Amino acid sequence: MDWTQYLNPLMQGAWVTVELTIYSTVFGAILAFAAGIGKLAHNPLIKAISIGYIEIFRGTSLLVQLFWLYFALPVAGQAIGIDLRLPPVVAGVMALSLNIGAYGAEVVRGAIESVAKDQYEAAKALNFTPRKTLWRVALPQAIPEMMPSFGNLAVQNLKDTALVSLISLSDLAFRSEQLRNFTQDSTTIYTMALLMYFGLALVLTAMMKLLERFVGRWRAGAR
């Protein structure tokens, strides 16, 4: 079989991988900021919820999280009379988002805590509220510091999308395995898949670098 005939199904799978990466990275970033800021909150309930979420999803396997959402959650729902079945794409995005969000939360927390103490003291002297201090002082300085780590997490998230093939979601890894089973041409198919993942990672890295530069100019302009 000519290798060009593999290209169309693999490209279809790659598009699913791109969609999963975009959705889960965006939702994961939102969760990261919520949990990272929540971990620094003075409210003990918010802090406890944030810490619990971070520790659970950092301390357990992404594969197990994915299987729990797709296979175990519906069973738990049946026990209480609620239909909690999730479509594969929803379960995949949820698992990836929750996982990257937990790791990103520590990045957010660390960046906020790295802001010099005299900045907080100056905000307090100006009678800023804690919320205003966070939005006007801490985050503008912390976000540029987060970007390299977020870039690494985004690339890792792209690679982790291959796990969703285990719940029959037709991403690049799933399409590659389908083709291999049909043709037994493992070398060609997996080489093409490898190069596609590498290409996607390069594009994602370049996009994150551009975002990092944009945020850096925004910080410089705010001075």
Side-chain angles (χ1 to χ4, degrees):
M1 189 173 183
D2 184 17
W3 69 269
T4 57
Q5 296 180 355
Y6 303 146
L7 197 56
N8 186 52
L10 288 178
M11 289 297 293
Q12 291 175 356
W15 178 245
V16 175
T17 294
V18 169
E19 290 182 316
L20 285 169
T21 302
I22 292 172
Y23 292 141
S24 59
T25 300
V26 171
F27 291 136
I30 294 171
L31 287 169
F33 274 91
I37 294 171
K39 191 172 181 179
L40 299 173
H42 296 295
N43 186 308
L45 179 60
I46 295 175
K47 187 171 185 176
I49 292 172
S50 299
I51 291 174
Y53 158 65
I54 292 169
E55 295 303 320
I56 288 171
F57 284 92
R58 275 167 53 93
T60 56
S61 166
L62 172 57
L63 181 60
V64 175
Q65 295 163 17
L66 179 64
F67 282 176
W68 192 91
L69 287 170
Y70 190 67
F71 296 113
L73 184 61
V75 176
Q78 287 179 353
I80 57 176
I82 301 175
D83 185 6
L84 295 177
R85 287 175 297 179
L86 299 174
V89 66
V90 174
V93 169
M94 282 184 65
L96 291 165
S97 300
L98 288 165
N99 190 266
I100 192 177
Y103 284 95
E106 285 297 293
V107 174
V108 172
R109 177 200 57 77
I112 291 175
E113 288 188 329
S114 70
V115 176
K117 290 184 178 180
D118 57 4
Q119 298 289 311
Y120 293 104
E121 292 171 359
K124 188 175 181 180
L126 293 171
N127 203 30
F128 280 16
T129 63
R131 180 175 298 180
K132 191 174 182 180
T133 299
L134 175 67
W135 288 101
R136 298 291 297 276
V137 177
L139 285 179
Q141 298 180 66
I143 287 176
E145 303 299 326
M146 303 174 193
M147 295 310 300
S149 296
F150 271 131
N152 292 334
L153 287 175
V155 173
Q156 182 61 48
N157 190 46
L158 166 66
K159 294 184 287 185
D160 287 342
T161 59
L163 292 175
V164 303
S165 64
L166 298 174
I167 58 171
S168 301
L169 195 57
S170 297
D171 71 323
L172 179 55
F174 185 84
R175 293 282 187 169
S176 300
E177 183 63 15
Q178 273 189 324
L179 285 172
R180 189 199 68 83
N181 288 334
F182 181 71
T183 66
Q184 297 301 309
D185 189 1
S186 302
T187 302
T188 303
I189 292 168
Y190 284 133
T191 299
M192 291 176 68
L194 186 71
L195 293 173
M196 284 184 174
Y197 273 113
F198 180 63
L200 290 173
L202 286 179
V203 172
L204 181 58
T205 299
M207 291 174 63
M208 294 303 295
K209 288 290 185 182
L210 288 173
L211 183 59
E212 183 180 339
R213 290 179 183 176
F214 172 77
V215 172
R217 287 199 298 268
W218 165 57
R219 177 174 62 174
R223 289 176 178 173

